[in-house]
Amino acid sequence: MGTVVTIAAYGSSASHAHRAITKAFDELHRLDRMMSLFKSGSELSEVNRSAGKSPVQVSDDFLLLLQKTRTYHIQTHGAFDVTVAPLMRLWGFIGEGGRGIPSDREINHVIDAVGFQNIEIDPLKKTVALLNQRSSIDFGGIAVGYSVDRVVSILKEEGIESAFVNHSGDAFALGAPADAEGWPVIIPHPLAPQESAASLTLRNQAISTSGNYEKFVEFEHQRFGHILDPFSGRPSNEVMSTSVVAPTALDADALSTGLFCMKRESQKEFAAAHQYRVITISSTGEVESP
C-alpha cells in the first residue's frame, strides 16, 4: 500500500505469533490488490475506468467499504468524500504531478465530478457506477482503517489476544502487553516531530491522525497539503493535524480525515456531540484535547 506496516503480537509461542502475523500480511496484500488506485487490475481501477459508461460488479469487501464511506460522508456533512480523486490529480497528488497552483477555472472544471451524488450503488446486483465520466474514487482516507480492522480480526481468529498494528500512523491496540494497562501511543507535534503533542494509553481502541505537514506539493515557494476540502477544491488548512480515538480503525481513519476538512467550529461541535476522543493541533501549534 505504499507504506510501512508493523505488527507486534504476543502469542503462545514464537511460531504461533509468526503464523498469525503472516496471515495478517496475506490479507493486506489481498486488500491492496482490491483497493489500490495505482494497480491497473484492482477493482477500484476498474470502477474508475468505467466512469460514465457502465456499472461494475464488485466484491463484498468493496461494496461494504463504499457503503461505509457514504455513512461517514453523511456524518461529516460531506467533509469526508472519497470522490476527491479528480482534485487530487489536478493538484499533483495522483499521476504525473501538478503544473502549478490550480486556477479557480481549473478547479471549477473538475469539482462537479466530486460528490457522492456521482456514485450509484446497487446492493442487490453488487454493482457500482460512477455517473460522471470525470469522476473517480480514491480510498486513501479510509482503506488503511479498513485494512487495520481486518488484520485485527484475523489476529483474533488465530488466538492472539494482545497485539499492536501500525499502518502508516493508523493503529489499533488489541488487549495489552503483559503487566501493562494498555499500549503506549505518542502523537508527535507537527512543528517539532521529536516532541510529543499528546501521550495516550490504548486498549482495544484505534487511533488515526490526519495532517497536511508530511505529504505536500510546493508551488511558488508555498506548500500545499494533500488533504483537500471537497467543497472549495483546495487544501484544507483549518488545523495542522486531527487525531481521533475510536472503537474501530475504520471510524478513526475516516473521521480524522473528515474532521480535518471541517471548519474549526464544526470540528468542536462534532467532538462534543460524539463519543470519540478528538485531539487537534491548531494552525498555530496549540494542542486541544478534551
Side-chain angles (χ1 to χ4, degrees):
M1 295 186 179
T3 187
V4 175
V5 181
T6 60
I7 302 174
Y10 289 87
S12 58
S13 65
S15 60
H16 173 216
H18 184 269
R19 182 174 65 250
I21 290 173
T22 298
K23 287 188 176 182
F25 274 108
D26 288 343
E27 177 68 353
L28 286 174
H29 287 297
R30 183 186 75 83
L31 293 174
D32 184 41
R33 290 192 296 270
M34 179 184 81
M35 298 185 291
S36 174
L37 191 65
F38 307 103
K39 287 181 168 61
S40 61
S42 71
E43 285 186 64
L44 180 61
S45 293
E46 186 178 356
V47 169
N48 287 341
R49 277 195 302 270
S50 300
K53 299 175 184 176
S54 59
V56 174
Q57 193 152 31
V58 296
S59 64
D60 290 340
D61 277 301
F62 192 100
L63 193 67
L64 174 62
L65 184 58
L66 196 54
Q67 289 171 326
K68 288 285 189 181
T69 67
R70 180 164 56 187
T71 299
Y72 296 119
H73 180 78
I74 294 170
Q75 193 174 4
T76 60
H77 305 289
F80 175 78
D81 197 321
V82 295
T83 66
V84 295
L87 289 170
M88 296 286 283
R89 190 171 290 108
L90 179 65
W91 279 90
F93 293 109
I94 298 175
E96 298 179 358
R99 294 185 294 272
I101 301 173
S103 65
D104 290 343
R105 183 171 178 271
E106 289 174 313
I107 291 174
N108 291 335
H109 179 67
V110 301
I111 207 162
D112 66 325
V114 175
F116 230 88
Q117 73 277 4
N118 294 304
I119 304 178
E120 185 176 80
I121 303 172
D122 189 328
L124 295 179
K125 294 181 180 179
K126 295 184 179 180
T127 60
V128 175
L130 295 179
L131 305 180
N132 188 317
Q133 64 179 357
R134 288 183 287 112
S135 293
S136 54
I137 296 171
D138 179 1
F139 281 144
I142 196 170
V144 169
Y146 185 81
S147 300
V148 170
D149 284 340
R150 285 294 305 138
V151 164
V152 172
S153 178
I154 288 173
L155 294 178
K156 288 180 178 178
E157 290 171 3
E158 292 298 310
I160 299 296
E161 297 179 355
S162 177
F164 191 83
V165 181
N166 185 2
H167 190 324
S168 62
D170 286 47
F172 191 95
L174 174 63
D179 302 321
E181 293 184 3
W183 293 86
V185 174
I186 292 176
I187 300 173
H189 199 290
L191 298 179
Q194 70 280 6
E195 296 181 9
S196 169
S199 298
L200 306 86
T201 300
L202 302 182
R203 184 184 184 117
N204 297 324
Q205 290 176 300
I207 185 170
S208 174
T209 297
S210 293
N212 262 347
Y213 50 90
E214 289 186 341
K215 297 178 183 178
F216 53 83
V217 291
E218 288 187 306
F219 300 128
E220 300 175 11
H221 307 293
Q222 298 180 65
R223 285 187 178 185
F224 298 90
H226 76 292
I227 303 178
L228 303 179
D229 181 337
F231 301 109
S232 70
R234 298 182 178 280
S236 180
N237 56 8
E238 286 290 314
V239 294
M240 285 190 188
S241 77
T242 301
S243 299
V244 174
V245 177
T248 69
L250 190 67
D251 285 341
D253 192 14
L255 293 177
S256 67
T257 303
L259 287 174
F260 189 91
C261 293
M262 285 184 180
K263 297 300 181 183
R264 193 68 193 96
E265 287 307 311
S266 298
Q267 292 174 352
K268 292 178 180 179
E269 290 172 6
F270 185 95
H274 296 80
Q275 298 302 310
Y276 308 107
R277 182 178 179 185
V278 180
I279 301 166
T280 59
I281 300 176
S282 71
S283 56
T284 58
E286 297 174 353
V287 180
E288 298 179 15
S289 176

